[in-house]
Amino acid sequence: MEDNERKSLLRNDGENSTTHRKEENKSSLPKIPNKKKILFVSMAMVNFFMVTCYSLIAPFFPAEAEKKDVSQTVVGMIFGVFELVIFLSSPVLGNYITKIGSKFMYLSGAMIGGTCAILFGVLDKSPDGITYIVMCFLCRTIEAFGCAMLITASFAIVANVFPDNVATMLGVLETASGIGVIVGPSVGGLLYEIGGFGLPFFVVGSITILNAVVGYFLIENTDETPRSGSQSMFFLLRNPFTWIISFTIASGTFTIGFLHPTLALHVAKLQELKGKTALIGLMFLISGGIFSFTAPVFGYFTDKKGYVKSMMAAGCLTAALGFLLMGPTPIGDQLPFELWSVIVSLALVGLGLGCAIIPTFRSLMDSAKALKMEENMDTYGVVAGLYNSCYSFGEFLGPTVGSALVDRFGFDWSATGCAGLLTTSAIIMTLYGLCKSPEENTHQGRSYHVITHESITNNKTPIKDEVTML
């Protein structure tokens, strides 16, 4: 009799767990409350304008800096320091997010970023030479720190507010940021023509601050009391899968950054684009546009299907194929170097990198669960900090190392190297997936409920201990 009762309790709990998982899988965007939707739209707007603040200087700042006796090498360093600061500060901010407070970090980051953007708009009044250079570095460094605060807090808040749709929502944030990168130079150039050096910074910086204030009042209060047992980023790095994901993020963003300073000179060799600066500029929109607008789609498949390893491996291989065609690679038969082949290659790169990078945040969350890290704001902050750090690390190394590689080996061999880096990431991801048991790969990131012996013998409602497998 006791055995039959135990089997009945186990069967009922299994049915309840199955029903619970089905209800979680049914979670869809239309069912999200309107207040949360408004909050997310506000956060997307803040991310858009913050990235626009970063990118709007591209069309006019180099010429303005030249008037101040600043070399192009220093101009490049002023651009590059932004990603370097985010890389260094994001892990620290993620570890201390509950001590600082996610809402406070979110608002402060936007305020700092927007204010520094406004201050950058008055630097044309600064004395020439070293004073101007120092002021530029100070503004960009502090602005980057504010951006790191904003992005880290944004990702942690999204993970907390939208736990069942985190990859989809982060995909939309990537779209907002990508659009900011794309339209930033155009907005900056237009406002510069209308009102001079300061107007682009005054307008975009002020809008960033106003949007952040609106978003702050939409964020609900959450339990952000620091847990005594909370773990740091170093604990998260104990899982080998964390290292593989981090390598995938850095590899993907390295190849993105590689194209920023090198693509224009490469495509200018095409007969159809010689001397046509506007058309060359449009080439940058292909990979960036496809990456940005497909990000929510890949996020949706990550949340609903959970094939993160296969998506990341397939994405890396697709992008690698794009770089081989873009070079074109000198290895093997000579591939065509024509306008259509470059367009196809850029499309493959944008599509592949979106497929590879978008699932990574969710994968880091799964890695944290595998280490039994609690699902709270401390963990979300650590994951967001590591993700932002790896992303910015690749974005920082891409332009600097990429330019040096092109100078030394040429674009064709350098693009082949990018393909090799992405292929290596795909191979490592595939081997790791094959080494895991079929059950672990099938049920990645799902929660299982274990019935304790005490709950059975006492004939009470089963006590459920959540166990997550990676």
Side-chain angles (χ1 to χ4, degrees):
M1 179 68 180
E2 183 178 347
D3 290 339
N4 291 334
E5 185 178 350
R6 182 178 302 176
K7 289 179 182 179
S8 176
L9 287 170
L10 287 169
R11 183 168 58 251
N12 291 336
D13 184 73
E15 292 173 357
N16 292 335
S17 298
T18 303
T19 303
H20 177 68
R21 288 196 298 271
K22 286 181 179 179
E23 290 176 355
E24 284 184 342
N25 291 335
K26 287 180 180 179
S27 177
S28 58
L29 297 180
K31 296 180 180 180
I32 296 175
N34 289 332
K35 185 176 181 179
K36 291 185 177 182
K37 291 180 181 178
I38 295 172
L39 164 64
F40 183 75
V41 170
S42 174
M43 295 177 69
M45 293 289 289
V46 174
N47 275 265
F48 166 78
F49 283 107
M50 179 66 84
V51 174
T52 303
C53 288
Y54 158 74
S55 63
L56 62 79
I57 70 175
F60 59 87
F61 178 72
E64 289 286 337
E66 188 176 9
K67 298 176 184 177
K68 296 285 189 178
D69 298 328
V70 181
S71 67
Q72 290 302 304
T73 301
V74 176
V75 170
M77 294 171 65
I78 293 173
F79 274 84
V81 73
F82 199 93
E83 297 293 346
L84 178 61
V85 171
I86 296 177
F87 160 66
L88 294 174
S89 61
S90 291
V92 179
L93 292 169
N95 279 336
Y96 289 95
I97 191 168
T98 54
K99 295 179 176 65
I100 299 173
S102 59
K103 291 176 66 174
F104 181 79
M105 184 183 291
Y106 176 83
L107 180 62
S108 299
M111 288 289 187
I112 291 171
T115 302
C116 286
I118 293 172
L119 291 175
F120 204 95
V122 301
L123 290 186
D124 58 329
K125 307 296 190 295
S126 171
D128 298 353
I130 189 66
T131 303
Y132 181 79
I133 293 172
V134 171
M135 295 303 296
C136 286
F137 271 110
L138 281 175
C139 275
R140 292 290 279 184
T141 298
I142 299 174
E143 181 182 352
F145 184 73
C147 187
M149 293 178 69
L150 173 72
I151 296 174
T152 301
S154 294
F155 283 18
I157 291 170
V158 166
N160 185 60
V161 177
F162 307 99
D164 297 323
N165 300 284
V166 61
T168 305
M169 294 305 191
L170 292 181
V172 177
L173 287 184
E174 288 287 354
T175 299
S177 299
I179 295 174
V181 172
I182 292 171
V183 306
S186 300
V187 171
L190 177 62
L191 293 176
Y192 177 78
E193 289 291 333
I194 295 174
F197 182 83
L199 186 61
F201 301 101
F202 301 153
V203 172
V204 179
S206 300
I207 296 176
T208 301
I209 294 173
L210 291 175
N211 272 280
V213 173
V214 173
Y216 177 80
F217 289 105
L218 292 173
I219 301 173
E220 297 180 356
N221 292 322
T222 57
D223 181 13
E224 295 187 328
T225 304
R227 269 68 170 182
S228 57
S230 297
Q231 303 295 343
S232 68
M233 185 187 72
F234 296 104
F235 184 82
L236 180 59
L237 291 172
R238 291 184 180 183
N239 191 338
F241 192 42
T242 301
W243 287 94
I244 297 172
I245 300 166
S246 300
F247 181 71
T248 301
I249 298 170
S251 300
T253 54
F254 175 92
T255 58
I256 294 173
F258 164 79
L259 294 177
H260 292 169
T262 61
L263 181 63
L265 294 177
H266 179 62
V267 298
K269 300 173 184 176
L270 293 166
Q271 187 64 37
E272 297 90 338
L273 299 181
K274 283 185 177 179
K276 300 178 181 178
T277 307
L279 291 179
I280 292 175
L282 290 176
M283 300 298 287
F284 284 88
L285 300 182
I286 298 173
S287 59
I290 291 177
F291 177 93
S292 299
F293 288 105
T294 58
V297 178
F298 291 126
Y300 176 83
F301 277 104
T302 299
D303 287 327
K304 301 307 176 184
K305 302 299 180 182
Y307 303 133
V308 291
K309 296 189 189 75
S310 55
M311 285 180 65
M312 286 187 280
C316 286
L317 291 176
T318 302
L321 178 61
F323 275 102
L324 291 176
L325 182 61
M326 188 188 306
T329 179
I331 301 175
D333 296 334
Q334 186 63 38
L335 296 173
F337 179 57
E338 299 178 12
L339 181 60
W340 69 266
S341 65
V342 173
I343 292 175
V344 171
S345 67
L346 288 170
L348 289 173
V349 167
L351 187 68
L353 291 179
C355 184
I357 294 177
I358 296 305
T360 54
F361 189 91
R362 186 84 190 204
S363 298
L364 287 175
M365 293 293 298
D366 291 337
S367 182
K369 290 179 184 178
L371 293 171
K372 307 296 175 62
M373 295 176 69
E374 295 182 9
E375 292 189 58
N376 53 40
M377 190 59 75
D378 284 302
T379 300
Y380 299 150
V382 169
V383 171
L386 179 60
Y387 176 87
N388 293 334
S389 182
C390 294
Y391 199 104
S392 296
F393 182 65
E395 285 272 21
F396 170 70
L397 289 183
T400 53
V401 176
S403 297
L405 290 175
V406 172
D407 288 339
R408 179 66 178 83
F409 302 104
F411 186 90
D412 52 354
W413 278 111
S414 300
T416 303
C418 289
L421 183 65
L422 292 167
T423 303
T424 301
S425 179
I427 292 173
I428 295 174
M429 184 68 66
T430 302
L431 291 176
Y432 180 82
L434 292 175
C435 290
K436 303 294 286 184
S437 68
E439 182 180 358
E440 287 174 316
N441 281 325
T442 301
H443 300 291
Q444 179 175 2
R446 290 185 181 179
S447 298
Y448 295 84
H449 300 291
V450 180
I451 304 177
T452 64
H453 176 72
E454 181 182 357
S455 65
I456 295 175
T457 56
N458 293 336
N459 195 21
K460 295 179 180 179
T461 303
I463 301 174
K464 300 178 181 179
D465 298 325
E466 193 172 87
V467 179
T468 304
M469 301 180 67
L470 182 61

